[in-house]
Amino acid sequence: MLKAVVFDDEFIVLKGLERLIDWREHGVELAGTAKDGLSALELFKALRPDIVMTDIRMPGMDGLQLIERIREEAPDTVCIVFSGYNEFDYVKRAIKLGVVDYLEKPITISKIREGIEKAVARIGERSEMSSLKRRWQEGLLEKATLDLLLYGRDAEAEWRTQFGPEAEDVRGVTVVAGADSAFELPEGPGFRVVTVRNGAEFLQAVFHLGAVGSDWTNALQAWDRTAVGSGATHADVGEAAVSCREALRALRYGKYLEGTGWTRYEDLGDGHSPAPALSDLEEGILFDLRLGDKDSLMQKLDDYLASFKQGKVDPEIAELELLKLLLHAFEAARETGGDASEIDGAGEPPQLTLRQLETRSAQAAWLREEIERIADWIRGVRQRTKHSAVEKALAYMELHYGRDLTQQEVAAHVEMNAAYFSLLFKEQMGLSYIKYLTKLRMEKAKTLLEEGMPTQEISERVGYYHARHFAEVFKKQTGMTPGQYRSTGRGR
């Protein structure tokens, strides 16, 4: 994406251009602003933008002097000037300096857009193969991909245009969400990666070209620095928004359960199918409900209800929003495996109760009471079942650690939803399921190494089909290879 900067000593101009112009629709990012010529020059040196928009009259150094300095360091930078002084000498100097446009104040939104379009066009005309052209195209692709992840099928046509001819070869899409920008998924021969950012979310869309393989997961399997979550792979590109929501949900759970490493949406279990209408705040409420964090839950719920009471939507739609959240809360209660009929109540259906309440404040208070009641019930079930369920799970893992033992299988054995079981296990053991299973396998491997069993046989005995993978995990856990551990005689 192209970078632009704006320099003007009038605060209202800077803020207006920041807020009123959709820079991304032109494939441009507004990277910074400055209010005087000297600060502007320093900012230019730091950011090296592609487009400079500057007022002429500024303290410290006027706009035309600034452009002269910029031209000395970066002659390809495209410049636009605006001024309240339409004097011939200024115009002549600006033309001599090669500015792409000269705008008279007061400037309008349409004038600015025209100026940006001229600047982008000038950049594009220089060379079809120039790096700036490629960055411009990448910026448009990033925007089209972000729209695809947010709006799905409604944004597919524009995405296909920006993705190019390869769009016809795409046979699936998977979204990866990171806790920060540290993880970068490399491209491979069978897939293409487009990285985008949406606020605090770091998203990578993996477009599978041809048959969907497993090579794209290699970097994810080895990653252990920060939390990363992935959605399911969807054959229909129009379902990219679904995979995005799944990836963000997997990231949320992964940050709590693992702290670092890769969490797949599929590992959360069938009870967590995506709910397109859920907002981030609603997702946070349900997450805290499952986690049993009542303080955080009630704070988020109060924020949600404050917004609800101020809303202007139709009363029937407002009622549906509250019922939707309540039904998801009931679903979270059922995941515990407890007798959810204890909280269903013997009264009339919730939709009838809600409809009888005449004000939004009354409806909000009713929902708060209902969800708090569900939260208290879930916490009670957790306390009653936590120890016995985890003990049963540990015994099962002790018997079956040597094969492909998924979290879903263990959760089914203790008759719990997989996502709820994962939270319960972490709470009881202080480790996530996968970390505990890895630790168990490595302890068994140590014993077998001390007994002299060959490494390949140990690898298979403790659940790893490839000795190389086993050796990598063993070294990460113990700080030495299996051979080094054996030779030191550790544990004897």
Side-chain angles (χ1 to χ4, degrees):
M1 182 171 288
L2 299 176
K3 289 194 296 186
V5 291
V6 177
F7 307 139
D8 196 299
D9 61 348
E10 293 183 49
F11 177 82
I12 192 170
V13 173
L14 294 180
K15 287 302 174 184
L17 294 181
E18 283 181 4
R19 297 174 180 175
L20 300 179
I21 300 295
D22 185 356
W23 296 84
R24 286 182 175 270
E25 74 176 2
H26 303 285
V28 178
E29 172 193 7
L30 180 57
T33 62
K35 296 189 292 184
D36 63 83
L38 296 177
S39 298
L41 183 59
E42 291 302 314
L43 186 63
F44 173 83
K45 291 178 178 179
L47 298 178
R48 292 289 173 174
D50 309 296
I51 302 171
V52 170
M53 305 181 72
T54 181
D55 190 10
I56 289 182
R57 294 288 183 91
M58 290 190 298
M61 179 188 301
D62 72 37
L64 296 180
Q65 292 173 326
L66 174 64
I67 292 175
E68 288 177 345
R69 295 287 298 274
I70 289 173
R71 288 290 188 206
E72 293 172 1
E73 296 196 23
D76 288 337
T77 303
V78 176
C79 299
I80 297 172
V81 297
F82 37 83
S83 175
Y85 303 90
N86 188 15
E87 298 176 11
F88 179 74
D89 286 342
Y90 283 148
V91 177
K92 185 169 67 174
R93 284 181 62 197
I95 292 173
K96 187 175 180 180
L97 289 170
V99 301
V100 73
D101 208 350
Y102 188 108
L103 307 178
E104 293 182 49
K105 287 187 175 181
I107 52 177
T108 64
I109 298 300
S110 60
K111 286 181 182 179
I112 291 295
R113 286 175 176 161
E114 290 174 4
I116 295 171
E117 289 171 359
K118 286 182 181 179
V120 172
R122 175 71 62 85
I123 291 171
E125 290 167 0
R126 285 178 178 162
S127 172
E128 285 296 315
M129 298 303 294
S130 69
S131 60
L132 289 176
K133 178 68 174 181
R134 287 195 298 272
R135 287 166 60 192
W136 175 47
Q137 292 173 332
E138 289 169 1
L140 295 177
L141 175 59
E142 289 170 11
K143 182 180 185 302
T145 301
L146 178 58
D147 287 344
L148 182 70
L149 301 189
L150 295 177
Y151 309 116
R153 205 172 310 284
D154 291 343
E156 184 177 349
E158 178 62 19
W159 170 82
R160 288 187 176 278
T161 299
Q162 299 303 332
F163 199 80
E166 275 190 325
E168 298 302 317
D169 300 326
V170 174
R171 295 294 178 269
V173 57
T174 314
V175 178
V176 177
D180 54 36
S181 60
F183 177 74
E184 294 185 12
L185 190 65
E187 291 191 352
F191 57 95
R192 182 176 171 188
V193 180
V194 180
T195 301
V196 297
R197 181 172 180 178
N198 183 36
E201 300 167 355
F202 295 86
L203 306 172
Q204 297 176 75
V206 184
F207 296 102
H208 304 279
L209 308 173
V212 178
S214 60
D215 289 349
W216 72 276
T217 67
N218 292 342
L220 285 164
Q221 291 173 344
W223 184 254
D224 63 357
R225 287 173 50 196
T226 56
V228 178
S230 67
T233 298
H234 294 263
D236 185 348
V237 171
E239 296 293 303
V242 177
S243 186
C244 182
R245 289 191 294 271
E246 294 169 344
L248 291 171
R249 179 169 292 185
L251 175 62
R252 184 192 296 274
Y253 278 80
K255 286 166 71 174
Y256 172 75
L257 295 171
E258 303 289 348
T260 60
W262 177 30
T263 299
R264 303 187 320 148
Y265 169 75
E266 294 88 337
D267 293 336
L268 300 182
D270 295 336
H272 282 255
S273 57
L278 288 178
S279 67
D280 289 344
L281 185 53
E282 290 169 323
E283 288 279 11
I285 289 169
L286 296 172
F287 179 78
D288 287 342
L289 187 64
R290 293 185 175 100
L291 191 61
D293 187 347
K294 186 175 178 181
D295 290 341
S296 180
L297 163 68
M298 300 310 293
Q299 179 60 58
K300 289 186 177 72
L301 183 59
D302 285 341
D303 291 342
Y304 171 83
L305 294 175
S307 176
F308 167 79
K309 287 187 286 187
Q310 295 173 3
K312 303 296 184 183
V313 298
D314 182 271
E316 291 186 0
I317 296 176
E319 289 176 10
L320 289 175
E321 287 296 303
L322 295 187
L323 286 171
K324 175 190 68 178
L325 185 58
L326 182 62
L327 291 175
H328 278 283
F330 276 121
E331 182 61 32
R334 294 186 186 97
E335 291 170 6
T336 65
D339 183 5
S341 65
E342 296 175 356
I343 54 171
D344 284 343
E348 59 187 10
Q351 58 268 31
L352 295 182
T353 301
L354 189 61
R355 193 156 295 168
Q356 292 169 5
L357 300 174
E358 296 182 353
T359 67
R360 289 203 176 186
S361 294
Q363 291 176 332
W366 172 81
L367 182 72
R368 190 182 194 280
E369 182 178 328
E370 287 294 295
I371 290 186
E372 185 173 17
R373 183 169 62 88
I374 294 172
D376 290 337
W377 183 86
I378 289 176
R379 295 178 72 187
V381 171
R382 290 170 75 92
Q383 293 304 315
R384 293 194 302 270
T385 62
K386 179 170 60 176
H387 183 74
S388 60
V390 173
E391 285 296 316
K392 187 177 179 181
L394 294 177
Y396 191 78
M397 294 168 73
E398 182 73 25
L399 290 174
H400 301 287
Y401 68 86
R403 60 177 177 79
D404 184 16
L405 187 61
T406 66
Q407 181 172 272
Q408 291 95 316
E409 178 183 340
V410 179
H413 177 71
V414 299
E415 300 179 329
M416 282 186 177
N417 168 275
Y420 177 75
F421 167 75
S422 67
L423 296 172
L424 202 66
F425 191 94
K426 171 71 180 291
E427 182 179 319
Q428 177 76 5
M429 300 301 298
L431 290 174
S432 68
Y433 166 82
I434 190 62
K435 285 187 176 179
Y436 181 87
L437 178 60
T438 301
K439 181 181 178 182
L440 174 63
R441 286 171 167 172
M442 294 305 104
E443 291 302 318
K444 299 295 183 182
K446 289 177 184 179
T447 300
L448 297 175
L449 283 167
E450 292 161 9
E451 293 174 356
M453 183 178 289
T455 301
Q456 179 62 49
E457 187 175 344
I458 294 174
S459 172
E460 295 173 357
R461 183 76 67 88
V462 300
Y464 296 90
Y465 296 114
H466 301 290
R468 181 178 178 182
H469 185 204
F470 162 70
E472 290 174 350
V473 175
F474 189 91
K475 184 175 182 180
K476 186 179 294 185
Q477 292 288 318
T478 66
M480 60 183 72
T481 66
Q484 289 169 338
Y485 184 90
R486 192 199 306 272
S487 66
T488 61
R490 289 191 59 175
R492 295 180 179 176

